[in-house]
Amino acid sequence: MSSPAVFVSELTKTYDTGVKALKGISLSVEEGDFFALLGPNGAGKTTLIGILTGLINKTSGEARIFGHDMPKDASRAKTYIGLVPQEFNFNIFEKVEDIVVTQAGYYGIPRSEALKNAEPLLIDLGLWEKRNEPSQKLSGGMKRRLMIARALIHKPRLLILDEPTAGVDVELRRAMWIFLRRMNAEGTTVILTTHYLEEAEQLCRTVAIINKGEILINEPMQALLARHGEEKLEDIYLGLIEGDAAKKTL
Amino acid sequence: MMRKEVVRIFRIWAQTLLPPVVTTSLYFIVFGTFIGSQLAPIDGYSYIQFIVPGLIMMSVITSSYMNTVSNFYFAKFMRNIDELLVSPMPDWVIILGFVSGGVVRGLIVGFFVLGVSLFFTHLAIHSVLVLLASILLTSVLFSLGGLINGVFAKGFDGISIVPTFVLTPLTYLGGIFYSIQQFPEFWQKVSLANPILYMVNAFRWGFLGVSDIPVWICFSVLLAMTTLFLCIVLWLFKSGVGVKA
């Protein structure tokens, strides 16, 4: 049996400030899944993603990517991951194509091969015409798509998207949904964090809701929705978060 | 990473390559030609010949340091350091990438300054090997120094404090413009605490064959400091201090 795309067990993270961002969470994301990681701001989503991608050191517990331990076997684990972070974080003075091709170099892909790989990707994401433009000249939506192109240049098996559609207009959001669905259908495991719960409901097969560093639920989307009858994901989510807050107040 | 660095250095050449060349040319004109012509030779060389190696070294030190400190801090500030940290590149490769940028810029600037100096004086080369080894090691050392500064910098002030208040005084007092043999014994001993003195003297020995300090001591200090800085940088990247969120 193959290892899950992501396996997390008893994972904790306490920052130097004393903030406990993760309080011993455990979850598993199967290969090929489209997984929604939901939660309010400060819930621990970005910390979890940071640990999985090597941007944040864990305090304790276990995190594995396709069976490879983070951080012990980080070099191997990281080859499988493509990350689309929340904030635009490319060099604004670099050209679009250079950003994508340089990123490929960080994964050991020769420049000539990276240029070949970049072409269909940039065409697919509507950036081909802008490939020689400095990235600062792109619109917000284009910048968002550039982040996706950069994350996909090394053909990762696991794509992690941290609020990829924040601030994106409806038309572009729908286009991104189609693109992500296609990536997933082609075998890429996708983890999505979003505040648009309708987006998670439309796209994802499994959902985990995290609040204050703890996992509140982690189950298939259809099973969750079926269990709550007529309720939408948004109602279930609000019920859980508010219920959790009330429980902690008591 | 190195390709990206070299492209950046040449893309903004007016910021990265031109200023040190212009500044050093002014040193050649003012200290070398106007004031130097009225000074007695030092160790058998005219004043301008004496100061050329030190001025080349000064521009290499400043350029290497500023390249890595500003580049690393900018990458941290814009968070494009994350591009590197999420990749499978081991820490030492990332460090090598930043350091190679500093070394390339330092050596290009040094080469240009050397070219400008030839308009003012002629220079003989005593030992090519010592010249190359001293300039390369110094460039690596200060690229690593810039990286350490960049890791700890919490704002744009943080990347200018060390160059302004530490590096510049140490460089000016590092035997570029004088021989410490001209000092009283006490100040000679105090000068020995300045690491830049060893680099300038090793480089000067490579050109002129004269040095205030035996060359093997200069290289021992250079190697020891480079190893120390490399260990510090490796530890900072491994622990994530100032690098990761």
Side-chain angles (χ1 to χ4, degrees):
Chain A
M1 198 177 135
S2 64
S3 305
V6 173
F7 174 77
V8 164
S9 174
E10 296 297 318
L11 193 65
T12 69
K13 174 65 189 180
T14 306
Y15 286 102
D16 293 341
T17 52
V19 173
K20 289 183 178 172
L22 297 177
K23 300 170 182 167
I25 64 165
S26 299
L27 61 85
S28 178
V29 179
E30 293 308 315
E31 185 168 9
D33 201 357
F34 207 132
F35 189 96
L37 183 63
L38 308 177
N41 289 330
K45 304 184 298 290
T46 302
T47 299
L48 175 59
I49 290 171
I51 292 172
L52 295 176
T53 52
L55 292 173
I56 296 173
N57 290 337
K58 67 187 178 189
T59 303
S60 68
E62 194 181 354
R64 290 181 174 274
I65 306 293
F66 290 104
H68 299 281
D69 186 85
M70 284 292 291
K72 277 184 201 151
D73 195 10
S75 287
R76 193 70 183 275
K78 286 176 180 179
T79 58
Y80 299 120
I81 306 173
L83 173 68
V84 181
Q86 238 176 75
E87 309 287 338
F88 300 130
N89 68 344
F90 40 73
N91 188 330
I92 55 170
F93 302 112
E94 274 188 88
K95 290 177 188 168
V96 168
E97 190 173 57
D98 284 344
I99 289 170
V100 176
V101 170
T102 302
Q103 186 72 13
Y106 299 156
Y107 288 79
I109 300 168
R111 192 171 168 79
S112 55
E113 194 182 325
L115 282 165
K116 271 187 225 159
N117 294 349
E119 187 177 339
L121 200 54
L122 293 177
I123 291 171
D124 246 7
L125 288 160
L127 293 168
W128 182 244
E129 302 300 321
K130 300 279 180 183
R131 66 189 182 281
N132 291 317
E133 296 275 331
S135 58
Q136 63 183 335
K137 290 194 175 169
L138 300 182
S139 67
M142 283 179 170
K143 284 178 181 162
R144 197 58 76 181
R145 280 179 275 159
L146 174 57
M147 303 267 281
I148 295 176
R150 188 183 62 176
L152 290 174
I153 187 65
H154 61 288
K155 299 180 177 153
R157 285 168 68 186
L158 170 63
L159 180 64
I160 302 177
L161 302 121
D162 197 358
E163 297 183 31
T165 51
V168 168
D169 64 48
V170 180
E171 197 184 350
L172 179 59
R173 194 182 308 161
R174 294 291 164 116
M176 279 168 81
W177 288 8
I178 293 167
F179 183 81
L180 293 174
R181 272 200 190 107
R182 206 182 74 212
M183 292 299 307
N184 182 242
E186 287 169 2
T188 308
T189 308
V190 181
I191 297 178
L192 173 76
T193 81
T194 180
H195 287 297
Y196 300 109
L197 300 182
E198 178 214 352
E199 183 169 89
E201 198 173 328
Q202 289 281 332
L203 292 171
C204 301
R205 286 193 289 280
T206 311
V207 58
I209 297 179
I210 182 171
N211 190 32
K212 295 177 181 167
E214 291 170 347
I215 300 273
L216 302 182
I217 58 152
N218 177 14
E219 61 183 283
M221 183 73 78
Q222 290 309 319
L224 177 72
L225 293 172
R227 204 150 44 80
H228 287 81
E230 295 293 300
E231 279 186 284
K232 286 192 161 235
L233 180 63
E234 191 169 320
D235 303 319
I236 301 165
Y237 172 89
L238 286 172
L240 278 165
I241 299 294
E242 283 162 11
D244 188 46
K247 209 162 55 186
K248 276 173 183 149
T249 311
L250 291 170
Chain B
M1 275 188 78
M2 190 170 168
R3 185 184 183 281
K4 184 178 167 184
E5 277 294 287
V6 173
V7 168
R8 190 190 71 90
I9 289 166
F10 281 100
R11 191 183 65 219
I12 51 168
W13 61 273
Q15 290 172 52
T16 53
L17 303 178
L18 195 59
V21 176
V22 172
T23 310
T24 324
S25 302
L26 292 171
Y27 280 119
F28 288 138
I29 294 168
V30 176
F31 290 101
T33 309
F34 297 155
I35 297 173
S37 60
Q38 295 166 46
L39 297 174
I42 302 175
D43 291 328
Y45 290 95
S46 69
Y47 187 67
I48 190 163
Q49 283 177 316
F50 184 82
I51 65 171
V52 164
L55 287 174
I56 295 172
M57 197 54 115
M58 182 171 81
S59 56
V60 170
I61 289 172
T62 312
S63 298
S64 300
Y65 191 94
M66 288 314 295
N67 198 72
T68 45
V69 71
S70 57
N71 214 6
F72 187 82
Y73 181 71
F74 188 72
K76 241 177 37 163
F77 181 73
M78 298 291 290
R79 286 313 311 166
N80 51 53
I81 184 80
D82 291 355
E83 292 176 348
L84 304 169
L85 297 177
V86 300
S87 80
M89 284 194 293
D91 292 342
W92 69 267
V93 175
I94 298 174
I95 293 165
L96 187 66
F98 278 106
V99 169
S100 64
V103 170
V104 167
R105 178 167 158 191
L107 295 185
I108 293 171
V109 167
F111 183 76
F112 283 152
V113 172
L114 171 65
V116 170
S117 74
L118 296 176
F119 288 104
F120 296 90
T121 185
H122 68 274
L123 284 169
I125 294 178
H126 183 73
S127 167
V128 176
L129 191 67
V130 168
L131 268 186
L132 293 177
S134 57
I135 202 164
L136 192 65
L137 267 175
T138 303
S139 186
V140 169
L141 172 64
F142 281 93
S143 297
L144 287 166
L147 203 48
I148 296 171
N149 187 172
V151 166
F152 285 109
K154 288 194 173 11
F156 284 97
D157 285 348
I159 63 171
S160 63
I161 286 172
V162 175
T164 308
F165 296 106
V166 179
L167 205 55
T168 306
L170 284 179
T171 309
Y172 278 79
L173 299 172
I176 292 173
F177 299 102
Y178 51 81
S179 162
I180 60 165
Q181 306 296 340
Q182 297 162 315
F183 287 178
E185 199 179 333
F186 173 76
W187 289 110
Q188 282 186 33
K189 285 183 178 159
V190 170
S191 297
L192 293 176
N194 182 354
I196 291 177
L197 184 77
Y198 299 88
M199 297 154 209
V200 169
N201 273 280
F203 197 57
R204 183 174 287 138
W205 194 87
F207 269 115
L208 309 178
V210 296
S211 171
D212 291 334
I213 303 156
V215 176
W216 71 269
I217 295 180
C218 295
F219 275 99
S220 302
V221 171
L222 250 172
L223 278 170
M225 287 194 67
T226 307
T227 309
L228 175 69
F229 277 29
L230 180 61
C231 291
I232 293 171
V233 172
L234 282 167
W235 178 80
L236 288 169
F237 270 73
K238 187 172 165 47
S239 63
V241 175
V243 180
K244 295 182 181 178

